[in-house]
Amino acid sequence: MKTNNHRKSWIALLIALSMLIVLTLLDNWSGTPAMLLTVLRKGSIYALVVVSMNLLNGFTGLFSLGQAGFMLLGAYTYAVLTVPVEDQSAVYQRYATGGVGFSITETLSGAMGQFGLLIGVIFCLLLAGLVAGVFAWLIGLPVLKLKSDYLAIATLGFAEIIRAVVMYEKLGPVTNGSNLLYGFTNFSDFHIGGLKLDTVMPFIFSGLCILVVVLLINSTYGRVFKAIRDDEIAAEAMGINLAKHKRMSFIISSFFAGISGALLAMYQASVQANTFKASMTYEILLIVVIGGIGSISGSAIASFLFVGCSEWFLRFLDNDTKLKNFNAKLIFAIVFGLVVVGLAALIFRKTRKMERMEKLWRQIPVGLLCLGLVAWDIWFVISPNLKLPLLRSGFRMVVFSVVIMIVVLFFREGIMGDRELWDMKRRRPAANAKAGEPK
Amino acid sequence: MSKNILKVENATMQFGGVVAVDNLNLEINEGEIVSLIGPNGAGKTTAFNVITGVYAPTNGCVWFDEQKIIENHPQGKMKKLYKGQHAGEYTHVTAPTPDVVTKLGMARTFQNIRLWKSQTVFDNVLIAKHLRRTSNLLTATFRLNRKEEEAQRADVERLLDIVGLSEAKGELATSLPYGKQRRLEIARALATEPKLLLLDEPAAGMNPQETNELTEFIGQIRSKLGLTVFLIEHHMDLVMDISDRIYVLDFGKLIAHGTPAEIQSDQRVIDAYLGVAEDA
């Protein structure tokens, strides 16, 4: 048992190391598509915030929508503390006495070079998390007494208030009001010799944080969180202090949200309060649902998938596109038809499993929609038009919404359900809920 | 005479104008098996909820292990509404939450099974041992509590062995048959290291054979683990078999208490269960 565990951790370590090497190579090879690097960087940062939200929503069963607010706190804490002193007058040009007058990373890197920079960044990241955590503690005192939807509304409100406060003119000398903060230490400041580390650093930071969350979830506290999610009354009757453990989960989740906010600031190389809107929280929630509520690896996979889709693969949906000739159109039409028929078949199978035979009429709308799309497909081939319809600015979001609806309606489990990647080989104990119920 | 482990003193539980438990007085001594019986809606589960801290009683107090753990008196608009007795006798308010009561050494099971559904049998019991942990968040996360973890895991194995669920330990709790789920709930309650075990209808929904096994099992809990057991039950065979003493509730009031033989011949109990003949 023990040697087995040791071997597993060695394998995990090897995989992680080889991944880092590959990332470093990608970073420094001139042939790497810039988009791939963007997706890797942003995806890894999103993975952390999604995992932090999953810890709260998926593992503890607290429906909270304050993630963007905590990210904002983290991002600003980090940015304010690391803007170089000589840049502060330029950054805070609208305020006579702007800036804090020191820069932690600058001081440390001045004294110890790259190593000092690393120490400074880690220190500031932890501080960013702590600030978010302290705020979570304060907010949690009144708010965590609320249940489900009410908690969501209260935390959402908190996030909006924080955003407004940061943009408050009187706080300008510190937060720069609603203007950009920029110039602070970011990933491009890291390098070993001439080696760029832009993509490796976010992976290392967010990977370490996610590792801590995984360890936490598999510890006794993680099990208690899951018990609270499954049955609060039973948990309390078994001696679990609900208030304390809920608060704990809320603070930890916010702590990591704060760190990921700081990482996002580093990635963007600038911060503005307006980017941390409620829509950002929804985006994160969406990734949680797609990845599977209660699955860390699902969250990580979905983050990369989501960022990949929104930044890269689905970009073409926003551009007007003209096909070159009839052959291209034919290929497009065939692929489109196959995708439509395939999706419809998948949905049919899914509903057949879920529902009894007499409810099969429910499949009629899906069938009609499928037929309609195929008919349009055929008409498109016949028509002389070469311009692809619908593709225009904003269509990407429409496709996103439709995908979400399909996921929520038919694939509620998400990518991973509540399983983990490393449990896939093990057989899951039969979830036969019906067998245990009284007659 | 062995010492008193639980004493309920003049406890009244009133919801609005409805008196669910009316001036309840009962005592349980160490090592006893005591039953609380009564027709449906008599207030048995409410009495349990008052004892375990789910509800603060409207008036009265509860002693556990010779220590006053719960005390309350009518407050606010309850002052006017209060219909019970002994008003004004209690002045303090001590209303611990259920987790505090459990930590003191009182563990319960539920009438409608409340296991943690997504957890395995083993984890269900292991989670209940959380309250006896000394490790904090950091030592637990970074695995600096190996000794405690292993000790607790060994303890869970032993408990599962006692309730006869060792073979099912890797299964999901909800995939177990009904009788075994009940046993698992008892194992989970035992994991909190209680002095007093409260069982809320442990035989509900069981067939006669399972009920017999349970009777034997409850006897073993006392003999092997030296616990005191307080149970609510409808299966009269089970109650009469294992109880040292029985309390009978009807419409929230205690109508009788005594040994099983006394209870069986008590006219008030017979009336409560069978109804009073109107034209007698």
Side-chain angles (χ1 to χ4, degrees), chain B residues 24 26 33 44 46 105 113 118 123 128 132 135 138-139 160 182 188 192 196 200 208 210-211 215 229-230 244 251:
Chain B
L24 179 67
L26 54 83
I33 295 181
K44 305 182 295 291
T46 308
I113 299 174
S118 70
D123 281 351
R132 300 294 173 210
S135 52
L138 287 179
T139 54
L160 286 177
R182 286 260 177 229
R188 189 177 68 170
T192 63
L196 172 67
D200 196 346
E210 283 173 325
T211 311
T215 312
V229 182
F230 184 30
D244 296 321
F251 293 113

PDB file of all heavy atoms in Angstrom, chain B residues 24 26 33 44 46 105 113 118 123 128 132 135 138-139 160 182 188 192 196 200 208 210-211 215 229-230 244 251:
ATOM      1  N   LEU B  24     -41.952  17.486  30.461  1.00  0.00           N
ATOM      2  CA  LEU B  24     -41.352  16.152  30.446  1.00  0.00           C
ATOM      3  C   LEU B  24     -40.285  16.046  31.529  1.00  0.00           C
ATOM      4  O   LEU B  24     -39.414  16.900  31.655  1.00  0.00           O
ATOM      5  CB  LEU B  24     -40.725  15.895  29.071  1.00  0.00           C
ATOM      6  CG  LEU B  24     -40.020  14.558  28.874  1.00  0.00           C
ATOM      7  CD1 LEU B  24     -41.018  13.416  28.905  1.00  0.00           C
ATOM      8  CD2 LEU B  24     -39.271  14.547  27.549  1.00  0.00           C
ATOM      9  N   LEU B  26     -37.623  13.073  32.887  1.00  0.00           N
ATOM     10  CA  LEU B  26     -37.147  11.688  32.855  1.00  0.00           C
ATOM     11  C   LEU B  26     -35.696  11.608  33.269  1.00  0.00           C
ATOM     12  O   LEU B  26     -34.950  12.588  33.199  1.00  0.00           O
ATOM     13  CB  LEU B  26     -37.389  11.027  31.498  1.00  0.00           C
ATOM     14  CG  LEU B  26     -36.914  11.634  30.194  1.00  0.00           C
ATOM     15  CD1 LEU B  26     -35.468  11.291  29.946  1.00  0.00           C
ATOM     16  CD2 LEU B  26     -37.761  11.085  29.060  1.00  0.00           C
ATOM     17  N   ILE B  33     -30.775   0.530  29.511  1.00  0.00           N
ATOM     18  CA  ILE B  33     -31.417   0.701  28.207  1.00  0.00           C
ATOM     19  C   ILE B  33     -32.841   1.160  28.487  1.00  0.00           C
ATOM     20  O   ILE B  33     -33.620   0.453  29.117  1.00  0.00           O
ATOM     21  CB  ILE B  33     -31.423  -0.606  27.395  1.00  0.00           C
ATOM     22  CG1 ILE B  33     -29.987  -1.010  27.051  1.00  0.00           C
ATOM     23  CG2 ILE B  33     -32.232  -0.438  26.124  1.00  0.00           C
ATOM     24  CD1 ILE B  33     -29.883  -2.269  26.238  1.00  0.00           C
ATOM     25  N   LYS B  44     -42.376  12.187  20.637  1.00  0.00           N
ATOM     26  CA  LYS B  44     -41.158  11.450  21.001  1.00  0.00           C
ATOM     27  C   LYS B  44     -39.934  12.040  20.315  1.00  0.00           C
ATOM     28  O   LYS B  44     -38.912  12.325  20.956  1.00  0.00           O
ATOM     29  CB  LYS B  44     -41.291   9.966  20.605  1.00  0.00           C
ATOM     30  CG  LYS B  44     -42.509   9.284  21.176  1.00  0.00           C
ATOM     31  CD  LYS B  44     -42.568   7.837  20.790  1.00  0.00           C
ATOM     32  CE  LYS B  44     -42.747   7.586  19.304  1.00  0.00           C
ATOM     33  NZ  LYS B  44     -44.066   7.963  18.779  1.00  0.00           N
ATOM     34  N   THR B  46     -39.647  14.958  18.994  1.00  0.00           N
ATOM     35  CA  THR B  46     -39.430  16.318  19.498  1.00  0.00           C
ATOM     36  C   THR B  46     -38.643  16.275  20.797  1.00  0.00           C
ATOM     37  O   THR B  46     -37.724  17.073  21.008  1.00  0.00           O
ATOM     38  CB  THR B  46     -40.778  17.023  19.719  1.00  0.00           C
ATOM     39  OG1 THR B  46     -41.545  16.918  18.536  1.00  0.00           O
ATOM     40  CG2 THR B  46     -40.577  18.472  20.067  1.00  0.00           C
ATOM     41  N   GLY B 105     -20.782  14.047  24.424  1.00  0.00           N
ATOM     42  CA  GLY B 105     -20.872  12.597  24.568  1.00  0.00           C
ATOM     43  C   GLY B 105     -22.269  12.039  24.373  1.00  0.00           C
ATOM     44  O   GLY B 105     -22.645  11.055  24.982  1.00  0.00           O
ATOM     45  N   ILE B 113     -33.412   7.744   7.742  1.00  0.00           N
ATOM     46  CA  ILE B 113     -31.953   7.629   7.664  1.00  0.00           C
ATOM     47  C   ILE B 113     -31.307   8.840   6.994  1.00  0.00           C
ATOM     48  O   ILE B 113     -31.749   9.296   5.950  1.00  0.00           O
ATOM     49  CB  ILE B 113     -31.587   6.356   6.881  1.00  0.00           C
ATOM     50  CG1 ILE B 113     -32.144   5.162   7.625  1.00  0.00           C
ATOM     51  CG2 ILE B 113     -30.100   6.237   6.691  1.00  0.00           C
ATOM     52  CD1 ILE B 113     -31.981   3.870   6.910  1.00  0.00           C
ATOM     53  N   SER B 118     -23.065  10.598  -0.842  1.00  0.00           N
ATOM     54  CA  SER B 118     -22.019  10.423  -1.851  1.00  0.00           C
ATOM     55  C   SER B 118     -20.777   9.763  -1.261  1.00  0.00           C
ATOM     56  O   SER B 118     -19.792   9.573  -1.962  1.00  0.00           O
ATOM     57  CB  SER B 118     -21.654  11.773  -2.470  1.00  0.00           C
ATOM     58  OG  SER B 118     -20.980  12.556  -1.521  1.00  0.00           O
ATOM     59  N   ASP B 123     -16.068   5.985   4.818  1.00  0.00           N
ATOM     60  CA  ASP B 123     -15.934   7.437   5.016  1.00  0.00           C
ATOM     61  C   ASP B 123     -17.051   7.988   5.890  1.00  0.00           C
ATOM     62  O   ASP B 123     -16.845   8.925   6.650  1.00  0.00           O
ATOM     63  CB  ASP B 123     -15.915   8.161   3.668  1.00  0.00           C
ATOM     64  CG  ASP B 123     -14.553   8.073   3.014  1.00  0.00           C
ATOM     65  OD1 ASP B 123     -13.620   7.603   3.690  1.00  0.00           O
ATOM     66  OD2 ASP B 123     -14.427   8.449   1.838  1.00  0.00           O
ATOM     67  N   ALA B 128     -17.468  10.971  10.983  1.00  0.00           N
ATOM     68  CA  ALA B 128     -18.044  11.179  12.318  1.00  0.00           C
ATOM     69  C   ALA B 128     -16.961  11.214  13.394  1.00  0.00           C
ATOM     70  O   ALA B 128     -17.206  11.640  14.510  1.00  0.00           O
ATOM     71  CB  ALA B 128     -19.049  10.081  12.622  1.00  0.00           C
ATOM     72  N   ARG B 132     -13.306  14.345  17.149  1.00  0.00           N
ATOM     73  CA  ARG B 132     -12.307  13.958  18.150  1.00  0.00           C
ATOM     74  C   ARG B 132     -10.885  14.244  17.677  1.00  0.00           C
ATOM     75  O   ARG B 132      -9.925  13.778  18.251  1.00  0.00           O
ATOM     76  CB  ARG B 132     -12.451  12.473  18.488  1.00  0.00           C
ATOM     77  CG  ARG B 132     -13.797  12.090  19.040  1.00  0.00           C
ATOM     78  CD  ARG B 132     -14.065  12.719  20.382  1.00  0.00           C
ATOM     79  NE  ARG B 132     -15.431  12.467  20.831  1.00  0.00           N
ATOM     80  CZ  ARG B 132     -16.125  13.288  21.606  1.00  0.00           C
ATOM     81  NH1 ARG B 132     -15.596  14.405  22.016  1.00  0.00           N
ATOM     82  NH2 ARG B 132     -17.346  12.992  21.971  1.00  0.00           N
ATOM     83  N   SER B 135      -5.832  17.504  15.152  1.00  0.00           N
ATOM     84  CA  SER B 135      -5.092  18.168  14.079  1.00  0.00           C
ATOM     85  C   SER B 135      -5.883  19.358  13.565  1.00  0.00           C
ATOM     86  O   SER B 135      -7.101  19.336  13.520  1.00  0.00           O
ATOM     87  CB  SER B 135      -4.834  17.193  12.934  1.00  0.00           C
ATOM     88  OG  SER B 135      -6.031  16.585  12.545  1.00  0.00           O
ATOM     89  N   LEU B 138      -3.962  23.019   8.854  1.00  0.00           N
ATOM     90  CA  LEU B 138      -2.662  22.901   8.193  1.00  0.00           C
ATOM     91  C   LEU B 138      -2.076  21.500   8.348  1.00  0.00           C
ATOM     92  O   LEU B 138      -1.631  20.892   7.373  1.00  0.00           O
ATOM     93  CB  LEU B 138      -1.685  23.932   8.758  1.00  0.00           C
ATOM     94  CG  LEU B 138      -1.953  25.363   8.313  1.00  0.00           C
ATOM     95  CD1 LEU B 138      -0.963  26.308   8.943  1.00  0.00           C
ATOM     96  CD2 LEU B 138      -1.895  25.465   6.792  1.00  0.00           C
ATOM     97  N   THR B 139      -2.092  20.981   9.575  1.00  0.00           N
ATOM     98  CA  THR B 139      -1.501  19.647   9.767  1.00  0.00           C
ATOM     99  C   THR B 139      -2.295  18.606   9.002  1.00  0.00           C
ATOM    100  O   THR B 139      -1.728  17.637   8.501  1.00  0.00           O
ATOM    101  CB  THR B 139      -1.451  19.281  11.255  1.00  0.00           C
ATOM    102  OG1 THR B 139      -2.747  19.410  11.799  1.00  0.00           O
ATOM    103  CG2 THR B 139      -0.484  20.150  12.014  1.00  0.00           C
ATOM    104  N   LEU B 160     -16.717  -0.943  12.254  1.00  0.00           N
ATOM    105  CA  LEU B 160     -17.422  -1.611  11.160  1.00  0.00           C
ATOM    106  C   LEU B 160     -17.478  -3.108  11.430  1.00  0.00           C
ATOM    107  O   LEU B 160     -18.443  -3.778  11.073  1.00  0.00           O
ATOM    108  CB  LEU B 160     -16.727  -1.327   9.826  1.00  0.00           C
ATOM    109  CG  LEU B 160     -16.942   0.076   9.275  1.00  0.00           C
ATOM    110  CD1 LEU B 160     -16.148   0.280   7.995  1.00  0.00           C
ATOM    111  CD2 LEU B 160     -18.416   0.335   9.006  1.00  0.00           C
ATOM    112  N   ARG B 182     -29.270   1.185   8.561  1.00  0.00           N
ATOM    113  CA  ARG B 182     -29.554   1.485   9.964  1.00  0.00           C
ATOM    114  C   ARG B 182     -28.340   1.177  10.828  1.00  0.00           C
ATOM    115  O   ARG B 182     -27.980   1.942  11.713  1.00  0.00           O
ATOM    116  CB  ARG B 182     -30.741   0.641  10.439  1.00  0.00           C
ATOM    117  CG  ARG B 182     -32.047   1.127   9.891  1.00  0.00           C
ATOM    118  CD  ARG B 182     -32.763   1.944  10.949  1.00  0.00           C
ATOM    119  NE  ARG B 182     -34.005   2.489  10.439  1.00  0.00           N
ATOM    120  CZ  ARG B 182     -34.356   3.755  10.568  1.00  0.00           C
ATOM    121  NH1 ARG B 182     -33.546   4.603  11.158  1.00  0.00           N
ATOM    122  NH2 ARG B 182     -35.499   4.186  10.114  1.00  0.00           N
ATOM    123  N   ARG B 188     -21.926   5.027  12.846  1.00  0.00           N
ATOM    124  CA  ARG B 188     -21.508   6.416  12.724  1.00  0.00           C
ATOM    125  C   ARG B 188     -21.700   7.154  14.040  1.00  0.00           C
ATOM    126  O   ARG B 188     -20.845   7.932  14.459  1.00  0.00           O
ATOM    127  CB  ARG B 188     -22.343   7.076  11.620  1.00  0.00           C
ATOM    128  CG  ARG B 188     -21.859   8.450  11.250  1.00  0.00           C
ATOM    129  CD  ARG B 188     -22.657   9.018  10.117  1.00  0.00           C
ATOM    130  NE  ARG B 188     -24.035   9.310  10.527  1.00  0.00           N
ATOM    131  CZ  ARG B 188     -24.894   9.987   9.779  1.00  0.00           C
ATOM    132  NH1 ARG B 188     -24.539  10.401   8.589  1.00  0.00           N
ATOM    133  NH2 ARG B 188     -26.114  10.218  10.201  1.00  0.00           N
ATOM    134  N   THR B 192     -18.521   8.800  17.233  1.00  0.00           N
ATOM    135  CA  THR B 192     -18.306  10.065  17.932  1.00  0.00           C
ATOM    136  C   THR B 192     -17.922   9.838  19.392  1.00  0.00           C
ATOM    137  O   THR B 192     -17.807  10.790  20.153  1.00  0.00           O
ATOM    138  CB  THR B 192     -19.564  10.951  17.889  1.00  0.00           C
ATOM    139  OG1 THR B 192     -20.611  10.263  18.582  1.00  0.00           O
ATOM    140  CG2 THR B 192     -20.010  11.227  16.471  1.00  0.00           C
ATOM    141  N   LEU B 196     -23.772   8.234  25.810  1.00  0.00           N
ATOM    142  CA  LEU B 196     -25.194   7.927  25.696  1.00  0.00           C
ATOM    143  C   LEU B 196     -25.555   7.877  24.213  1.00  0.00           C
ATOM    144  O   LEU B 196     -25.214   8.767  23.451  1.00  0.00           O
ATOM    145  CB  LEU B 196     -26.009   9.029  26.392  1.00  0.00           C
ATOM    146  CG  LEU B 196     -27.524   8.979  26.228  1.00  0.00           C
ATOM    147  CD1 LEU B 196     -28.104   7.765  26.915  1.00  0.00           C
ATOM    148  CD2 LEU B 196     -28.160  10.244  26.786  1.00  0.00           C
ATOM    149  N   ASP B 200     -33.383   6.741  17.237  1.00  0.00           N
ATOM    150  CA  ASP B 200     -34.745   7.143  16.877  1.00  0.00           C
ATOM    151  C   ASP B 200     -35.327   6.094  15.936  1.00  0.00           C
ATOM    152  O   ASP B 200     -34.976   6.050  14.763  1.00  0.00           O
ATOM    153  CB  ASP B 200     -34.710   8.535  16.222  1.00  0.00           C
ATOM    154  CG  ASP B 200     -36.078   9.182  16.185  1.00  0.00           C
ATOM    155  OD1 ASP B 200     -37.067   8.458  16.420  1.00  0.00           O
ATOM    156  OD2 ASP B 200     -36.158  10.386  15.926  1.00  0.00           O
ATOM    157  N   PRO B 208     -39.002  -8.978  10.539  1.00  0.00           N
ATOM    158  CA  PRO B 208     -38.850  -9.582  11.871  1.00  0.00           C
ATOM    159  C   PRO B 208     -37.444 -10.108  12.135  1.00  0.00           C
ATOM    160  O   PRO B 208     -36.914  -9.933  13.240  1.00  0.00           O
ATOM    161  CB  PRO B 208     -39.856 -10.730  11.837  1.00  0.00           C
ATOM    162  CG  PRO B 208     -40.878 -10.302  10.863  1.00  0.00           C
ATOM    163  CD  PRO B 208     -40.171  -9.491   9.841  1.00  0.00           C
ATOM    164  N   GLU B 210     -34.556  -9.110  10.812  1.00  0.00           N
ATOM    165  CA  GLU B 210     -33.643  -7.981  11.024  1.00  0.00           C
ATOM    166  C   GLU B 210     -33.873  -7.375  12.402  1.00  0.00           C
ATOM    167  O   GLU B 210     -32.932  -6.970  13.082  1.00  0.00           O
ATOM    168  CB  GLU B 210     -33.869  -6.911   9.948  1.00  0.00           C
ATOM    169  CG  GLU B 210     -33.271  -7.264   8.606  1.00  0.00           C
ATOM    170  CD  GLU B 210     -33.644  -6.266   7.521  1.00  0.00           C
ATOM    171  OE1 GLU B 210     -34.761  -5.720   7.529  1.00  0.00           O
ATOM    172  OE2 GLU B 210     -32.803  -6.023   6.646  1.00  0.00           O
ATOM    173  N   THR B 211     -35.166  -7.322  12.821  1.00  0.00           N
ATOM    174  CA  THR B 211     -35.485  -6.751  14.126  1.00  0.00           C
ATOM    175  C   THR B 211     -34.845  -7.578  15.239  1.00  0.00           C
ATOM    176  O   THR B 211     -34.284  -7.030  16.189  1.00  0.00           O
ATOM    177  CB  THR B 211     -37.010  -6.686  14.317  1.00  0.00           C
ATOM    178  OG1 THR B 211     -37.581  -6.092  13.166  1.00  0.00           O
ATOM    179  CG2 THR B 211     -37.368  -5.874  15.537  1.00  0.00           C
ATOM    180  N   THR B 215     -32.190  -6.322  18.013  1.00  0.00           N
ATOM    181  CA  THR B 215     -32.378  -6.470  19.459  1.00  0.00           C
ATOM    182  C   THR B 215     -31.096  -6.983  20.099  1.00  0.00           C
ATOM    183  O   THR B 215     -30.602  -6.439  21.092  1.00  0.00           O
ATOM    184  CB  THR B 215     -33.515  -7.466  19.739  1.00  0.00           C
ATOM    185  OG1 THR B 215     -34.619  -7.125  18.927  1.00  0.00           O
ATOM    186  CG2 THR B 215     -33.918  -7.437  21.202  1.00  0.00           C
ATOM    187  N   VAL B 229     -28.194   3.363  26.526  1.00  0.00           N
ATOM    188  CA  VAL B 229     -28.964   3.514  25.300  1.00  0.00           C
ATOM    189  C   VAL B 229     -30.358   4.039  25.629  1.00  0.00           C
ATOM    190  O   VAL B 229     -31.005   3.588  26.569  1.00  0.00           O
ATOM    191  CB  VAL B 229     -29.092   2.162  24.553  1.00  0.00           C
ATOM    192  CG1 VAL B 229     -29.860   2.341  23.259  1.00  0.00           C
ATOM    193  CG2 VAL B 229     -27.726   1.567  24.285  1.00  0.00           C
ATOM    194  N   PHE B 230     -30.763   5.036  24.847  1.00  0.00           N
ATOM    195  CA  PHE B 230     -32.098   5.604  24.991  1.00  0.00           C
ATOM    196  C   PHE B 230     -32.737   5.515  23.621  1.00  0.00           C
ATOM    197  O   PHE B 230     -32.190   6.038  22.659  1.00  0.00           O
ATOM    198  CB  PHE B 230     -31.957   7.066  25.450  1.00  0.00           C
ATOM    199  CG  PHE B 230     -33.265   7.757  25.735  1.00  0.00           C
ATOM    200  CD1 PHE B 230     -34.372   7.046  26.181  1.00  0.00           C
ATOM    201  CD2 PHE B 230     -33.388   9.130  25.580  1.00  0.00           C
ATOM    202  CE1 PHE B 230     -35.562   7.695  26.456  1.00  0.00           C
ATOM    203  CE2 PHE B 230     -34.580   9.783  25.851  1.00  0.00           C
ATOM    204  CZ  PHE B 230     -35.664   9.060  26.293  1.00  0.00           C
ATOM    205  N   ASP B 244     -34.796  -1.767  30.122  1.00  0.00           N
ATOM    206  CA  ASP B 244     -34.825  -1.882  31.573  1.00  0.00           C
ATOM    207  C   ASP B 244     -36.032  -1.124  32.106  1.00  0.00           C
ATOM    208  O   ASP B 244     -36.714  -1.577  33.007  1.00  0.00           O
ATOM    209  CB  ASP B 244     -33.550  -1.294  32.183  1.00  0.00           C
ATOM    210  CG  ASP B 244     -32.330  -2.075  31.759  1.00  0.00           C
ATOM    211  OD1 ASP B 244     -32.426  -3.305  31.688  1.00  0.00           O
ATOM    212  OD2 ASP B 244     -31.293  -1.446  31.469  1.00  0.00           O
ATOM    213  N   PHE B 251     -49.746  12.654  23.552  1.00  0.00           N
ATOM    214  CA  PHE B 251     -50.019  14.083  23.372  1.00  0.00           C
ATOM    215  C   PHE B 251     -49.020  14.945  24.130  1.00  0.00           C
ATOM    216  O   PHE B 251     -49.392  15.918  24.785  1.00  0.00           O
ATOM    217  CB  PHE B 251     -51.456  14.404  23.807  1.00  0.00           C
ATOM    218  CG  PHE B 251     -52.473  13.787  22.907  1.00  0.00           C
ATOM    219  CD1 PHE B 251     -53.304  12.769  23.372  1.00  0.00           C
ATOM    220  CD2 PHE B 251     -52.580  14.193  21.590  1.00  0.00           C
ATOM    221  CE1 PHE B 251     -54.227  12.189  22.528  1.00  0.00           C
ATOM    222  CE2 PHE B 251     -53.510  13.613  20.745  1.00  0.00           C
ATOM    223  CZ  PHE B 251     -54.335  12.603  21.213  1.00  0.00           C
TER     224      PHE B 251
END
